Amino acid sequence: MSGGLLVAGTTSDAGKSVVTAGICRWLVRQGVKVAPFKAQNMSLNSFVTTEGAEIGRAQAMQAQACRIEPTALMNPVLLKPGGEQSSQVVLLGKPVGEMSARGYHGGRQQRLLGTVLDCLEQLRGTYDAVICEGAGSPAEINLRRTDIVNMGIARNAGLPVLVVGDIDRGGVFASFFGTVALLSPEDQACVAGFLVNKFRGDVSLLEPGLDMLHGLTGRRTYGVLPFRHGLGIDEEDGMGVPPARAESRAWGSVSLRGAVRESVVAPPVGEDVLRVAVCAVPLMSNFTDVDALAAEPGVVVRFVDRPEELSDADLVVVPGTRGTVRALEWLRERGLADALVRRAAEQRPVLGICGGFQILGEHIEDDVESRRGHVDGLGILPVRVRFAREKTLTRPAGEALGEHVEGYEIHHGVADVQGGTPFLDGCRVGQTWGTHWHGSLESDGFRRAFLREVAAAAGRRFVPAPDTSFAALREEQLDRLGDLIEQHADTDALWRLIESGAPQGLPFIPPGAPA
């Protein structure tokens, strides 16, 4: 059996995904054969493996950190929210149905424990180390009985647990102590210690607190990672509908990862910048499609929810969504639909991706996702969409604008294209493009050709950088995560933890889990 570790967090977005990727990259640079694992993921941000399995994009990126191909074993359970109360359950890469939160936690989740443990065992039989990521907090006492992703899997698989806390939010000492103190004695025995994330300032000022935490819990801190901009990877979002405008701004900012969320726009190569507006539709999926645009020098990407915000955009992107009909209604309610129709008529660039492509079509027949039957689309593209019960999960490749393109497809909607100029699997009419292909903009040559077309149509003197490699930028980002672990964590102690498990004789911290 190989070594292993579970990276848990005091909260959602504490940095579990980033720390897991960083540990994976550090290990693989030491010559360790390592794989990532997340038993259960809730995300609208997913990826398709080479065998046609759908998994969370965070695990796909962690696999890249390990320099291996992602597989369904790395994320056996994926939950894709479809509303406030239900999610699509994806098991071993294939959808198996919709389920309410009550139904899932009421019994289905616990029945998946055997499947999850079997996937982990297969990975541990193949790799020297498996670095597992938890979900939310391990101290969610209302969900502990059916847990298969935090302490449930740590206990069953004999994994030591490293708890990550985001000190930038404040209250990290209370969060560390409270997390341990709300666990049962058996669960506490798995918790080896802590990792502080996003620290700003002089570490020497923090050290007395870490010493006191050690005295209170008997558990050491394995590292203090400094705050760094632009270190996000393709993480899960778990976001629903952005409510009021003030809140939707915050919703957009917490959903964005990596290049879009935190990077500074590099100066343009040409005389002008290019402005991209992304419609912040409800249940947005695979928002990482625009990361490759944001990585281009001189391209400014922002997420918008009002029609007037489209007026100065050189390109408007209607992104993918887990609720196509719902997103279409939202666009109409906000006046964005009329703005998109006017924009297309004025020959100003619009790109629809997956659900966004479907929205731009003539009509949608949906007895699967929304069960609304016939719904009129925006009528910009000559496309009719019928939702099939079987989900399309493929990794297509082809050519567009004279360049090689690769992507991946995740959708129930089947498009019947009845005109226009062929564009990937969709079509183009004037300056409006539509495709089901996610990830196409990561193909460097195609992205540059597309941006040249957009700039010409927008009348901008924008020139794509000739040497931007999105794959290289992603590799650099993963190396930076590995550097963080190597430079700011006690890697010798971390390796002993992965190899030998949690220290023996760790003290129990009262009161423990409630009965």
Side-chain angles (χ1 to χ4, degrees):
M1 185 70 73
S2 71
L5 175 70
L6 176 71
V7 178
T10 56
T11 62
S12 295
D13 210 35
K16 297 183 293 291
S17 296
V18 168
V19 168
T20 300
I23 293 174
C24 286
R25 178 50 61 101
W26 160 65
L27 285 172
V28 81
R29 293 195 308 206
Q30 308 309 307
V32 178
K33 190 178 178 184
V34 60
F37 179 78
K38 185 163 185 172
Q40 173 193 294
N41 200 343
M42 177 173 279
S43 179
L44 293 173
N45 202 23
S46 58
F47 183 74
V48 179
T49 68
T50 53
E51 73 266 36
E54 184 180 10
I55 66 172
R57 272 196 69 103
Q59 281 60 66
M61 287 296 290
Q62 289 161 359
Q64 185 173 349
C66 299
R67 298 181 177 141
I68 58 176
E69 275 291 324
T71 73
L73 294 175
M74 298 171 186
N75 179 207
V77 181
L78 174 63
L79 305 178
K80 303 195 73 174
E84 296 298 324
Q85 300 294 330
S86 68
S87 293
Q88 183 180 67
V89 180
V90 179
L91 180 61
L92 293 174
K94 303 297 180 183
V96 294
E98 298 279 334
M99 186 165 290
S100 69
R102 180 179 294 274
Y104 183 69
H105 291 288
R108 176 64 182 269
Q109 182 182 33
Q110 184 64 23
R111 292 197 296 272
L112 294 174
L113 179 60
T115 299
V116 162
L117 290 172
D118 181 63
C119 291
L120 178 57
E121 185 178 358
Q122 289 185 58
L123 289 174
R124 295 182 80 179
T126 304
Y127 293 91
D128 301 327
V130 179
I131 308 302
C132 307
E133 180 188 342
S137 162
E140 291 168 346
I141 53 179
N142 57 316
L143 301 177
R144 175 61 184 91
R145 181 178 60 84
T146 58
D147 171 53
I148 64 169
V149 65
N150 289 308
M151 303 313 298
I153 194 167
R155 285 265 301 277
N156 278 281
L159 295 172
V161 177
L162 183 68
V163 180
V164 178
D166 179 356
I167 197 170
D168 198 48
R169 293 182 173 189
V172 75
F173 292 116
S175 298
F176 282 145
F177 182 88
T179 296
V180 179
L182 280 176
L183 301 178
S184 68
E186 296 81 6
D187 285 354
Q188 286 193 23
C190 297
V191 179
F194 313 108
L195 186 74
V196 177
N197 192 27
K198 299 183 185 178
F199 179 71
R200 306 174 192 248
D202 186 345
V203 175
S204 67
L205 299 176
L206 186 67
E207 287 171 348
L210 300 179
D211 292 339
M212 285 185 272
L213 182 67
H214 188 199
L216 287 167
T217 67
R219 290 158 175 84
R220 59 166 297 175
T221 298
Y222 284 77
V224 178
L225 307 185
F227 187 97
R228 292 285 187 270
H229 283 286
L231 286 182
I233 61 169
D234 299 357
E235 299 177 63
E236 60 267 11
D237 47 354
M239 296 295 171
V241 183
R245 177 170 171 77
E247 294 178 355
S248 74
R249 282 299 189 195
W251 172 84
S253 66
V254 297
S255 290
L256 305 187
R257 295 295 187 265
V260 175
R261 181 174 65 174
E262 295 178 331
S263 69
V264 176
V265 177
V269 174
E271 296 180 42
D272 289 341
V273 298
L274 207 63
R275 296 172 176 84
V276 179
V278 184
C279 296
V281 297
L283 298 173
M284 191 189 324
S285 62
N286 292 74
F287 49 81
T288 47
D289 282 334
V290 298
D291 277 0
L293 294 178
E296 280 285 344
V299 176
V300 182
V301 177
R302 68 183 190 273
F303 283 66
V304 304
D305 57 7
R306 298 197 309 191
E308 55 267 32
E309 293 178 295
L310 305 188
S311 60
D312 67 342
D314 302 308
L315 169 67
V316 174
V317 177
V318 188
T321 170
R322 170 81 166 91
T324 301
V325 171
R326 187 176 178 185
L328 177 56
E329 292 172 343
W330 181 86
L331 291 168
R332 285 184 166 131
E333 290 166 2
R334 299 220 165 199
L336 285 159
D338 290 339
L340 287 167
V341 172
R342 287 194 302 271
R343 184 180 180 89
E346 294 166 358
Q347 297 297 305
R348 301 181 66 199
V350 176
L351 171 64
I353 302 174
C354 200
F357 167 42
Q358 297 165 8
I359 285 168
L360 298 177
E362 295 173 354
H363 71 251
I364 299 166
E365 291 289 341
D366 181 11
D367 295 318
V368 176
E369 193 174 76
S370 69
R371 298 181 176 86
R372 294 283 297 277
H374 182 96
V375 178
D376 288 334
L378 298 187
I380 299 173
L381 293 176
V383 177
R384 298 174 182 176
V385 177
R386 175 185 56 82
F387 272 65
R389 298 201 174 275
E390 185 175 348
K391 182 183 282 191
T392 297
L393 296 168
T394 62
R395 290 270 293 271
E399 185 175 300
L401 304 180
E403 299 287 346
H404 179 72
V405 192
E406 296 180 6
Y408 57 99
E409 295 185 52
I410 306 170
H411 54 91
H412 284 280
V414 178
D416 179 13
V417 179
Q418 299 190 330
T421 303
F423 176 70
L424 302 177
D425 71 325
C427 66
R428 171 186 180 179
V429 174
Q431 295 300 324
T432 300
W433 294 263
T435 177
H436 275 130
W437 290 24
H438 293 289
S440 62
L441 294 167
E442 296 178 17
S443 297
D444 297 327
F446 166 72
R447 182 180 65 254
R448 294 184 194 114
F450 177 71
L451 290 177
R452 282 193 289 269
E453 292 249 355
V454 169
R460 294 285 185 187
R461 289 170 294 184
F462 169 85
V463 178
D467 56 354
T468 300
S469 167
F470 188 72
L473 290 173
R474 184 176 272 167
E475 275 295 304
E476 289 173 14
Q477 191 177 43
L478 291 170
D479 276 331
R480 291 175 67 200
L481 295 179
D483 292 343
L484 269 186
I485 298 298
E486 188 168 337
Q487 296 167 11
H488 300 283
D490 186 340
T491 52
D492 288 340
L494 198 57
W495 176 247
R496 287 194 298 271
L497 191 62
I498 293 168
E499 192 174 39
S500 304
Q504 297 297 307
L506 293 169
F508 170 70
I509 309 302

